[in-house]
Amino acid sequence: MTEGLRERKKLATRQALHLAALQLVAERGLDAVSVDDIAERAQVSSRTFFNYFPSKVDAVVGLDPTTPFQVSSDFSARPATESPVQALRAVQRARAQEMAEEEELWPLRMTVIDAHPSLVQRLIAAFGEAELALAEAIAERTGTRVGVDVYPTLLAAVQGCAMRISLQRWVATDFTASLPDLVDEAWDALAAGLPAPPRAAT
Amino acid sequence: MTEGLRERKKLATRQALHLAALQLVAERGLDAVSVDDIAERAQVSSRTFFNYFPSKVDAVVGLDPTTPFQVSSDFSARPATESPVQALRAVQRARAQEMAEEEELWPLRMTVIDAHPSLVQRLIAAFGEAELALAEAIAERTGTRVGVDVYPTLLAAVQGCAMRISLQRWVATDFTASLPDLVDEAWDALAAGLPAPPRAAT
DNA sequence: GCGGAATGTTGCACGCTCTGCAAGTTTGCA
DNA sequence: TGCAAACTTGCAGAGCGTGCAACATTCCGC
């Protein structure tokens, strides 16, 4: 079934390290947790920790390095009849759905991340890594050129903002809101050109 | 004129450290420059370095910690007849103008930053610091509520994107483009709701 | 099963980052 | 001129992150 003992052990160790990091930081805060602490709880040496994650913050955030690039390949897989904005909204909705379904993992993850600026920064950086790839996919679809036109680069960047703000609001509602709905709200505002919302009658 | 010898010396030291950091990183790359190197070139002890900047990357980026908050106060100072998007565009245009006028500093700064992901990350984080303050100012102006409505938070975040992408494109054109014009281009796309641009007739 | 190749784990040594503390020095001000 | 406040510096120390070499485990063909 799974591809060999070795692969399974590696995955287990990785998850153990991520979970340990997450729990410890939730308990004590980022600064009060050392790499040694995390390694100890995950039952490996601190040297081994660095075989899995390049830094403490990476272990806490715990994203698979390939995850960010999923967005650009998902985008390319959307029907060509959709506008870029429609396609990105759909991609993010789907992603949001997946996150919301992992009820154990993502809320804990986001709670911890949201409480520490350096973790938020790392999460944003993770989005940023795939920005060029996504910009190229957008350029491809729209006949624009990365490095010449604003459009692909800007849209790729704004897409990251939309997801970030949606996640932030999800945390703020204590995960009572529907993440896909929050994503939709953000894209509604973006697609409309960010007009000042009508003032609610009081 | 300037307020005392002490203040002037502090400012001079700060600028010396920033310039030293910038030049050294431009010459050798970020990883090949240590805090000791920077301190030595600026003629202070490495301990003193940390009295001015909390880390190496901060010294290279070299932003005054109050700078990011300028955006939100400038925004609040714009006439209330402008829409939030119009006001932010105007604020950024003005800021872009100032940057472009410091012909010695900003191009070098941006060249160095653009070449190192961790510096880009730090610059983005600097924008992020003021995001809450800006969101509150936007909420104030539009009668929305931070933490409830998407609008203020999203717009504050997107504004950072617009500036970031404009700067990135400025670097990409080797500073031949007009930064205020690049800012305008970004806001044109945003205000229109990010529609796919018409394909150029070939 | 067996043995060698590939892969993973660990300890060690090292350089760098950043902080607190306790001098010593310079500036501000009456 | 002299005291108080502020700045600089060296030192000690904890933690991060990496290269290296030895050891252990898994894989795979036979």
Side-chain angles (χ1 to χ4, degrees), chain A residues 47-193:
Chain A
R47 186 64 189 80
T48 298
F49 173 94
F50 289 107
N51 291 343
Y52 285 87
F53 295 100
S55 75
K56 186 170 67 174
V57 297
D58 280 84
V60 180
V61 175
L63 291 183
D64 184 313
T66 66
T67 306
F69 295 92
Q70 196 87 30
V71 176
S72 66
S73 54
D74 285 358
F75 172 80
S76 300
R78 300 289 310 178
T81 52
E82 288 180 331
S83 72
V85 167
Q86 285 172 330
L88 283 172
R89 182 203 288 246
V91 168
Q92 284 197 0
R93 268 197 67 98
R95 188 88 194 81
Q97 189 66 50
E98 289 168 29
M99 290 189 202
E101 277 162 11
E102 292 187 79
E103 293 169 25
E104 289 303 309
L105 190 56
W106 276 99
L108 174 57
R109 224 181 223 172
M110 287 311 304
T111 305
V112 169
I113 291 176
D114 197 59
H116 300 276
S118 60
L119 299 178
V120 174
Q121 220 179 307
R122 184 63 192 81
L123 187 65
I124 295 174
F127 293 153
E129 283 164 33
E131 226 175 78
L132 180 58
L134 178 58
E136 280 165 357
I138 295 171
E140 173 80 22
R141 171 180 289 229
T142 56
T144 53
R145 286 154 301 173
V146 176
V148 178
D149 303 303
V150 225
Y151 190 75
T153 329
L154 181 63
L155 183 53
V158 166
Q159 166 270 351
C161 276
M163 187 47 109
R164 172 162 70 86
I165 296 302
S166 301
L167 285 171
Q168 191 181 298
R169 295 180 72 217
W170 196 36
V171 176
T173 66
D174 211 15
F175 311 104
T176 55
S178 148
L179 185 55
D181 287 355
L182 292 173
V183 167
D184 266 335
E185 259 189 79
W187 283 103
D188 284 341
L190 287 171

Side-chain angles (χ1 to χ4, degrees), chain B residues 14 22 80 149 178 199:
Chain B
R14 191 184 169 83
L22 219 42
D149 304 303
S178 149
R199 287 172 181 270

Side-chain angles (χ1 to χ4, degrees), chain B residues 4-6 9 35 47 50 54-56:
Chain B
L5 177 58
R6 198 171 257 167
K9 268 195 173 176
V35 169
R47 187 62 187 82
F50 289 107
S55 74
K56 186 169 68 174

Side-chain angles (χ1 to χ4, degrees), chain B:
Chain B
M1 45 158 292
T2 45
E3 351 155 301
L5 177 58
R6 198 171 257 167
E7 290 304 312
R8 267 180 290 138
K9 268 195 173 176
K10 274 183 70 174
L11 188 62
T13 304
R14 191 184 169 83
Q15 286 174 342
L17 280 168
H18 173 45
L19 190 62
L22 219 42
Q23 288 172 343
L24 283 168
V25 174
E27 289 165 18
R28 306 183 206 161
L30 187 62
D31 293 344
V33 175
S34 73
V35 169
D36 286 348
D37 296 334
I38 299 169
E40 192 183 4
R41 182 169 292 198
Q43 315 246 37
V44 292
S45 75
S46 35
R47 187 62 187 82
T48 298
F49 173 93
F50 289 107
N51 290 341
Y52 285 87
F53 296 99
S55 74
K56 186 169 68 174
V57 297
D58 279 84
V60 180
V61 175
L63 292 184
D64 184 313
T66 66
T67 306
F69 295 93
Q70 196 87 29
V71 176
S72 66
S73 55
D74 285 359
F75 171 80
S76 300
R78 299 290 311 177
T81 53
E82 288 180 332
S83 73
V85 167
Q86 285 172 330
L88 283 172
R89 182 202 288 246
V91 168
Q92 284 198 0
R93 267 197 67 98
R95 188 86 195 82
Q97 189 66 50
E98 289 168 28
M99 290 188 199
E101 276 161 11
E102 290 187 81
E103 293 169 27
E104 289 303 309
L105 189 56
W106 275 99
L108 173 57
R109 224 181 223 171
M110 288 311 305
T111 305
V112 169
I113 290 175
D114 196 60
H116 301 275
S118 60
L119 299 178
V120 175
Q121 222 179 305
R122 184 64 193 81
L123 187 64
I124 296 173
F127 293 153
E129 283 164 33
E131 227 174 76
L132 180 59
L134 179 57
E136 279 165 356
I138 295 171
E140 174 79 25
R141 171 179 290 228
T142 56
T144 52
R145 287 153 301 174
V146 176
V148 179
D149 304 303
V150 225
Y151 190 76
T153 330
L154 182 63
L155 183 52
V158 166
Q159 166 269 350
C161 275
M163 187 48 109
R164 171 163 70 87
I165 296 301
S166 301
L167 285 170
Q168 190 182 299
R169 295 181 72 218
W170 196 37
V171 176
T173 65
D174 212 15
F175 311 103
T176 56
S178 149
L179 185 55
D181 287 355
L182 292 173
V183 167
D184 266 334
E185 259 189 79
W187 283 102
D188 284 341
L190 287 171
L194 292 163
R199 287 172 181 270
T202 321

